[in-house]
Amino acid sequence: MPSLAEWMRGCDLARLEAQVLVETVQGWSRATQAAHPERELDASALERLNALAARLRSGEPLAYVLRQREFYGLEFEVTPDVLIPRPDTELLVDLALRHLDDLPEPRHPTVLDMGTGSGAIAIAIAHARPKARVWALDTSATALAVARANAARLLDPHREGGAVNFQQTDWWRGLQLPTAFACFDCVVSNPPYIAANDPHLSDLRHEPSLALTGQHPTADGLSDLRQIVAEAAPHLREDGRLLLEHGYDQAAAVRDLLIAHGFREVFSARDLAGIERVSGGFCPQQRAHTMPPKMA
Ligand SMILES: C[S@@+](CC[C@H](N)C(=O)[O-])C[C@H]1O[C@@H](n2cnc3c(N)ncnc32)[C@H](O)[C@@H]1O
């Protein structure tokens, strides 16, 4: 059997990727690998390492190869049915948690995550704020299955806010809420926002197009953001906030959209790279605080 050092030299992968594979498959930490490059790999580990390395060399993302990705300190299962959660999206979670903490009265805050994918945002919020009652929707049944499995594994079954309520909808269409429901304190979404002709789409070919460009790709990538904003107000409490992730060049357009729909204190927040990544606002003031009629 080859030694670790020999396999690393021949595998033709970035060093970090190769180390992560060895850590996952052979169970040797990176410190152990650095200290003992002479160790021999097991025959079964070698076969698996070579198979996984071939997938990485073909361009498949590490998260799909390992079926996992860390987000907000939690280890999520990811499959090709869901977008790989991005570090940028942690900003959306930070802003949502800050808003929940600013709410005036002690209550079980209510949160809706639209387009939940792996469940990353909804589950991170539910994990960080055990009292919050969290809903999460997606149009993809296969994504929802991944999200439900992540919630079952990552959340305390006895959390005060109860289980995350996952639903299959077309954005607001088909969302089922309890009759006496008093609207959401916070609606968050990282929807598909990539324009149909974006040259970077080919780099993302392993991820589901439904998560990247949506069901109806448009030239500006804003069609899903428009649908979410257009019907958000009746679902928000008076002091409720809508928070939306968007593309690096879409902040001004999303702010305009929010302002056009009457949202107050519209803002954009920058991610760690200094890019305006999340925009949001408070619920429009003059609106009837009744639930909209049930949508089919
Ligand atoms: C960019 S991904 C975000 C996934 C996850 N929230 C995250 O941040 O990692 C967008 C998600 O929106 C879902 N989606 C696309 N069109 C939808 C629609 N019409 N109604 C509900 N969800 C939709 C996709 O299936 C996908 O899971």
Side-chain angles (χ1 to χ4, degrees):
M1 287 303 121
S3 69
L4 170 63
E6 285 164 341
W7 186 80
M8 294 286 249
R9 271 197 301 277
C11 71
D12 196 20
L13 293 175
R15 187 164 185 77
L16 181 61
E17 282 188 330
Q19 287 172 329
V20 172
L21 283 194
V22 172
E23 187 166 14
T24 309
V25 172
Q26 182 74 73
W28 298 337
S29 71
R30 283 163 61 199
T32 302
Q33 294 176 45
H36 300 288
E38 77 293 349
R39 279 195 182 173
E40 255 188 41
L41 296 164
D42 298 345
S44 62
L46 180 64
E47 195 178 329
R48 185 140 183 257
L49 277 173
N50 285 336
L52 297 182
R55 287 170 61 187
L56 282 178
R57 282 194 298 271
S58 77
E60 197 173 336
L62 183 63
Y64 287 150
V65 170
L66 299 181
R67 288 181 75 93
Q68 64 185 42
R69 173 52 53 95
E70 188 267 343
F71 179 81
Y72 224 79
L74 301 171
E75 207 61 66
F76 285 84
E77 183 193 3
V78 292
T79 73
D81 293 311
V82 299
L83 186 91
I84 299 166
R86 307 295 204 265
D88 294 342
T89 305
E90 295 193 351
L91 173 65
L92 187 61
V93 176
D94 285 340
L95 292 167
L97 296 180
R98 217 175 296 161
H99 172 62
L100 298 187
D101 293 344
D102 284 347
L103 291 173
E105 54 192 277
R107 62 189 183 213
H108 282 285
T110 50
V111 180
L112 172 65
D113 173 24
M114 303 186 73
T116 198
S118 63
I121 299 169
I123 293 169
I125 293 174
H127 189 267
R129 295 295 178 271
K131 279 175 75 169
R133 298 200 201 287
V134 181
W135 277 255
L137 61 83
D138 206 290
T139 200
S140 158
T142 47
L144 283 167
V146 175
R148 284 194 178 98
N150 277 322
R153 197 168 38 78
L154 294 170
L155 292 176
D156 176 357
H158 306 296
R159 67 182 290 281
E160 225 183 309
V164 175
N165 185 320
F166 290 101
Q167 296 191 19
Q168 187 176 14
T169 75
D170 179 4
W171 298 131
W172 299 106
R173 257 184 103 209
L175 179 62
Q176 302 287 326
L177 296 167
T179 330
F181 188 71
C183 303
F184 292 102
D185 290 299
C186 193
V187 172
V188 291
S189 185
N190 172 21
Y193 54 68
I194 302 186
N197 59 354
D198 190 304
H200 299 107
L201 273 173
S202 59
D203 299 338
L204 304 170
R205 64 188 182 284
H206 290 276
E207 297 190 74
S209 63
L210 184 62
L212 302 170
T213 53
Q215 279 170 326
H216 310 289
T218 49
D220 62 2
L222 292 170
S223 74
D224 290 296
L225 283 154
R226 286 193 190 95
Q227 289 181 58
I228 292 168
V229 175
E231 293 182 39
H235 294 87
L236 281 166
R237 282 185 180 233
E238 268 175 69
D239 54 359
R241 211 170 203 196
L242 175 62
L243 295 168
L244 301 166
E245 179 169 328
H246 49 68
Y248 72 97
D249 56 353
Q250 292 171 331
V254 175
R255 285 196 301 270
D256 287 349
L257 197 56
L258 289 164
I259 291 166
H261 284 84
F263 280 82
R264 295 172 291 125
E265 297 181 41
V266 168
F267 75 103
S268 297
R270 291 179 191 275
D271 62 20
L272 289 175
I275 293 166
E276 288 185 316
R277 179 60 65 192
V278 173
S279 295
F282 282 101
C283 180
Q285 230 151 18
Q286 274 130 30
R287 66 153 180 81
H289 276 273
T290 52
M291 281 304 294
K294 280 238 176 303
M295 282 167 275

